[in-house]
Amino acid sequence: MNLEHIHKIYFVGIGGIGMSALARYFNANKKLVVGYDKTSTEITDALIDLGIDINFNDSIENIPVAFLKPENTLVVYTPAIPQSHSQLTYFKNNQFIVLKRSQVLGLITDNTFCLAVAGTHGKTTTSSILGHLLYECGVEVTAFLGGVTENYNSNLILKGGEVSVVEADEFDRSFLKLSPDIACITSMDADHLDIYGEASALRDSFIAFTKRIKPKGKLFVKNGLPVEGITYGLEDDSNYSAQNIKIENGTYVFDIKTPKTVLKNIHFNLPGRHNLSNALIALAMAVEYGCPHQQLAKALASFKGVKRRFTYQIKTENLVFIDDYAHHPEEINSVHQAVREMYPNKQVLAIFQPHLFSRTRDFVDEFAQSLSQFDELLLLDIYPARELPIEGVNSAWLLGKVKNKNKGLVSKDLLLKKIRQSNAQVILTIGAGDIGEEVKKIKKELSVAS
């Protein structure tokens, strides 16, 4: 299918982070873009500001007349949309070309030199750093990101069509639609067991992804993963390794050993060893692509981060408020490590909103263990996302397994009151649901209080 011949694109679920990046891309390429989403958000507001028409009521009457005929029209949808959706059903029943987001991404990247970032954690930060490095090194790059980068205030970096950077998403095996030239796998921890059933099926899916790499392509893997490739790691014997790691004024300073040389005195501003690992693999991929070392070092030092990835909302001597998207036990462990490394002697309150009933059920003991590490814990109700409730699976059940005296359940309307009662100097909001909507209120409350 030739995207050049498509002039109109209708997005079903346009407000999703990955979907909105595609919508921005087509809009920038002078296509007529329209879409539907269930609710109005900051993302949909930003798209409307670009001149993209969005409707929020699932009825066929809301589809513009120009999009009711299948000629020159492509329909893109996200798997999060239920099959009963009336607009999607109309398009499927009336000879429209209807593709998943991952299929469209595959079509776009087929005609580019593609760098793909896979792994159950770290995809968004790694691909954002990689997109930024290539952009700063003058590469004609388009990067489709699963988060909003602070440097560009966007989930799309657009500087040309020769090179693409994409997140290779393992959810519903959508990364098997990509054929990258250079790829990496950051982690293969069990996740999405609602889709895969067994952790071994997820592992098999990653191995299938490695076979999608083009014949002369390169694969990077985090040292220790059960896959062959160019290895990377922290303070180890990997092909690419970060050595002599220090923290100076809240910034990582380190050396990078590559297969050919050592890059000295590299600076990186994001806290946490997980972020340092993400920076290392992004830099390694950019080196293999051919970017000059000196430019890369400068570009890495200027990377500001991704919204909702260890994002400082308040950072004063007496009070720190950080918001993070972590929604898997390993990600919570990473956030905990980063907080303890940066604030070793301060009391930490974590406010966590579990994401998905199935994920809570599948990893309840691991969640309990990771959440027990904080000094205080407040648990919100589970955010259902695409799921119906599962009997017996709720936040009270999870809380019962947490080994921590300072713990409690909290509703959103009592959250500010509970935070006020805490003496913690570091406050964290964690989760991938709508907890992000509470951040502004908490920030306002804490700013007034301090």
Side-chain angles (χ1 to χ4, degrees):
M1 183 190 150
N2 191 340
L3 290 173
E4 293 292 315
H5 301 150
I6 297 291
H7 303 302
K8 294 174 295 191
I9 299 147
Y10 193 95
F11 284 85
V12 186
I14 197 166
I17 193 76
M19 289 281 278
S20 60
L22 269 183
R24 284 173 176 273
Y25 169 80
F26 283 121
N27 186 63
N29 282 285
K30 305 290 185 277
K31 308 284 188 190
L32 186 59
V33 177
V34 171
Y36 156 88
D37 211 283
K38 195 165 64 175
T39 47
S40 167
T41 61
E42 281 184 16
I43 290 175
T44 57
D45 290 348
L47 294 177
I48 290 165
D49 288 344
L50 292 173
I52 295 171
D53 190 20
I54 301 176
N55 62 80
F56 297 98
N57 187 3
D58 174 27
S59 72
I60 295 159
E61 289 75 52
N62 281 338
I63 303 169
V65 175
F67 287 79
L68 289 171
K69 294 193 178 80
E71 296 86 52
N72 303 332
T73 299
L74 168 65
V75 177
V76 187
Y77 75 101
T78 165
I81 294 288
Q83 291 302 311
S84 59
H85 193 275
S86 60
Q87 289 186 3
L88 187 58
T89 305
Y90 171 83
F91 289 126
K92 284 183 171 176
N93 292 342
N94 285 281
Q95 282 76 56
F96 282 80
I97 303 165
V98 180
L99 299 178
K100 277 187 190 174
R101 182 186 74 90
S102 55
Q103 292 170 293
V104 178
L105 212 46
L107 286 171
I108 293 169
T109 57
D110 272 352
N111 303 316
T112 66
F113 187 96
C114 177
L115 296 99
V117 178
T120 38
H121 324 298
K123 286 189 294 292
T124 297
T125 302
T126 303
S127 52
S128 298
I129 298 169
L130 179 56
H132 176 66
L133 295 179
L134 296 174
Y135 182 96
E136 288 293 313
C137 289
V139 176
E140 289 190 17
V141 63
T142 298
F144 298 91
L145 309 171
V148 176
T149 62
E150 299 283 2
N151 291 74
Y152 305 91
N153 196 30
S154 178
N155 53 351
L156 180 73
I157 300 174
L158 198 55
K159 197 178 188 164
E162 274 183 32
V163 176
S164 61
V165 173
V166 292
E167 294 185 34
D169 193 358
E170 74 283 354
F171 172 71
D172 82 347
R173 299 178 173 84
S174 65
F175 60 176
L176 301 182
K177 302 282 189 293
L178 299 170
S179 308
D181 296 270
I182 300 178
C184 76
I185 300 175
T186 62
S187 51
M188 287 166 59
D189 292 319
D191 198 4
H192 307 300
L193 298 185
D194 53 325
I195 303 286
Y196 285 96
E198 298 291 328
S200 58
L202 178 68
R203 200 162 51 247
D204 293 345
S205 195
F206 274 106
I207 289 161
F209 169 70
T210 67
K211 295 180 168 60
R212 299 282 309 165
I213 297 166
K214 286 177 186 155
K216 289 185 178 173
K218 291 176 179 172
L219 174 67
F220 290 82
V221 294
K222 186 156 194 198
N223 201 354
L225 291 180
V227 184
E228 288 289 310
I230 303 165
T231 56
Y232 73 97
L234 305 183
E235 296 175 320
D236 61 10
D237 59 354
S238 301
N239 302 118
Y240 282 82
S241 174
Q243 307 277 0
N244 307 321
I245 301 166
K246 304 185 289 287
I247 294 176
E248 294 176 5
N249 302 323
T251 293
Y252 281 117
V253 182
F254 55 101
D255 301 332
I256 294 178
K257 176 183 77 66
T258 81
K260 294 177 181 170
T261 185
V262 176
L263 313 180
K264 292 271 192 189
N265 214 25
I266 302 293
H267 286 63
F268 184 61
N269 292 309
L270 267 57
R273 291 270 166 147
H274 61 302
N275 280 325
L276 192 54
S277 180
N278 295 335
L280 174 64
I281 180 52
L283 196 127
M285 290 170 84
V287 165
E288 290 287 340
Y289 176 73
C291 293
H293 293 170
Q294 219 168 348
Q295 265 178 284
L296 281 174
K298 192 178 168 193
L300 189 64
S302 70
F303 183 73
K304 294 176 188 168
V306 180
K307 285 181 181 168
R308 297 220 65 228
R309 304 301 194 280
F310 212 90
T311 301
Y312 282 100
Q313 298 292 334
I314 295 174
K315 191 179 185 182
T316 65
E317 208 48 45
N318 304 320
L319 182 68
V320 173
F321 172 31
I322 296 161
D323 177 42
D324 195 277
Y325 184 76
H327 54 284
H328 183 283
E330 284 305 319
E331 293 167 354
I332 294 169
N333 286 335
S334 295
V335 170
H336 177 264
Q337 181 276 324
V339 167
R340 295 299 187 199
E341 188 175 52
M342 290 295 160
Y343 305 102
N345 305 314
K346 296 202 170 177
Q347 191 169 332
V348 182
L349 161 66
I351 301 149
F352 178 56
Q353 181 189 45
H355 184 265
L356 297 179
F357 296 104
S358 60
R359 186 183 278 125
T360 307
R361 175 198 63 202
D362 295 338
F363 302 106
V364 68
D365 292 326
E366 293 88 341
F367 272 123
Q369 209 173 350
S370 63
L371 293 167
S372 296
Q373 301 173 96
F374 299 101
D375 301 309
E376 294 176 53
L377 174 69
L378 291 174
L379 268 192
L380 287 160
D381 283 339
I382 297 171
Y383 183 77
R386 55 186 178 269
E387 291 184 336
L388 293 170
I390 298 171
E391 196 177 338
V393 177
N394 52 45
S395 288
W397 176 54
L398 169 57
L399 192 75
K401 291 176 173 279
V402 172
K403 292 181 171 67
N404 188 328
K405 285 188 290 241
N406 302 315
K407 63 179 184 178
L409 296 176
V410 65
S411 60
K412 283 181 185 168
D413 51 349
L414 291 176
L415 186 54
L416 295 178
K417 184 183 172 187
K418 286 283 188 187
I419 292 170
R420 278 198 297 270
Q421 290 168 356
S422 168
N423 293 319
Q425 299 107 317
V426 180
I427 294 166
L428 293 172
T429 43
I430 315 172
D434 60 3
I435 188 170
E437 304 294 316
E438 302 303 307
V439 169
K440 282 181 191 164
K441 298 176 203 169
I442 297 169
K443 183 177 180 176
K444 189 178 172 187
E445 177 72 20
L446 292 174
S447 300
V448 170
S450 62

